[in-house]
């Protein structure tokens, strides 16, 4: 499961993925622009955005790059907070020193495992935050926008076919989610 199977090199294209890789993509990497639009509605004077993510995880780096590109297109300055382990989170926030108006969180396992710490530090720094999963909002974050992990009907179908011994490389990838979840 990942945000961009083509960009990460797992498949050559979405129409005919081929190979021996079975999985589900939520295509969350390409929602950066919409997340920033929503964040700008909450923070109309957004001029400087902090983006935090796991620099040791390729998918998070991809999401951070997409967010940075979308921000620059909107004329927003970017401060990257690259973390690799839980111990990097607090020092990353300390380097901000009131340099950002909002925080964009590129989710992965490290970030999810430390969501309470990230949310607490963001609240302490008075940074409005946007995440890719509603679980972060339930934990106290401001808002989220991203594919609903529950909306993909493909997973049970593909799992059944895979268990029956079929090669899934011939099936067209329909990685666009049926439902986008937005929480505030």
């Amino acid at each position: 499961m990942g945000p961009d199977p083509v960009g990460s090199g797992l498949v050559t294209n979405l129409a005919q993925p081929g190979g021996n890789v079975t999985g589900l993509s939520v295509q969350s990497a390409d929602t950066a622009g919409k997340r920033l639009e929503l964040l700008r509605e909450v923070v109309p004077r957004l001029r400087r955005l902090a983006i935090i993510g796991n620099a040791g995880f390729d998918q998070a780096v991809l999401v951070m790059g997409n967010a940075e590109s979308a921000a620059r297109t909107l004329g927003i300055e970017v401060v990257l907070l690259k973390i690799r382990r839980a111990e990097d989170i607090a020092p990353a926030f300390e380097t901000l020193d009131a340099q950002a108006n909002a925080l964009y969180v590129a989710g992965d396992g490290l970030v999810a495992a430390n969501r309470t710490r990230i949310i607490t530090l963001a609240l302490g720094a008075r940074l409005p935050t946007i995440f890719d999963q509603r679980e972060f909002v339930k934990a106290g974050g401001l808002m989220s926008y991203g594919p609903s992990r529950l909306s993909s009907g493909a997973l049970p179908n593909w799992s059944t076919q895979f268990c029956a011994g079929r090669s899934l490389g011939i099936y067209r990838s329909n990685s666009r989610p049926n439902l986008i979840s937005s929480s505030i």
Side-chain angles (χ1 to χ4, degrees), residues 15-40:
Q16 291 290 322
N20 293 321
V21 175
T22 301
L24 177 67
S25 171
V26 293
Q27 288 296 113
S28 62
D30 61 359
T31 57
K34 183 62 177 179
R35 282 192 197 113
L36 289 179
E37 286 176 30
L38 292 170
L39 197 52
R40 271 190 127 169

Side-chain angles (χ1 to χ4, degrees), residues 109-176:
L110 173 64
V111 168
N114 291 281
R115 78 182 73 160
T116 302
R117 180 181 301 172
I118 291 169
I119 291 167
T120 301
L121 290 167
L123 287 171
R126 301 185 57 108
L127 287 173
T129 54
I130 190 155
F131 303 91
D132 65 342
Q133 297 174 31
R134 71 180 336 151
E135 289 77 17
F136 287 88
V137 176
K138 290 177 182 177
L142 176 64
M143 60 195 300
S144 70
Y145 178 85
S148 171
R149 303 296 196 250
L150 302 175
S151 70
S152 179
L155 186 58
N157 183 33
W158 285 5
S159 297
T160 302
Q161 292 178 32
F162 180 73
C163 289
R166 291 190 172 161
S167 169
L168 299 180
I170 62 169
Y171 292 100
R172 183 184 190 304
S173 175
N174 183 10
S175 59
R176 297 285 184 220

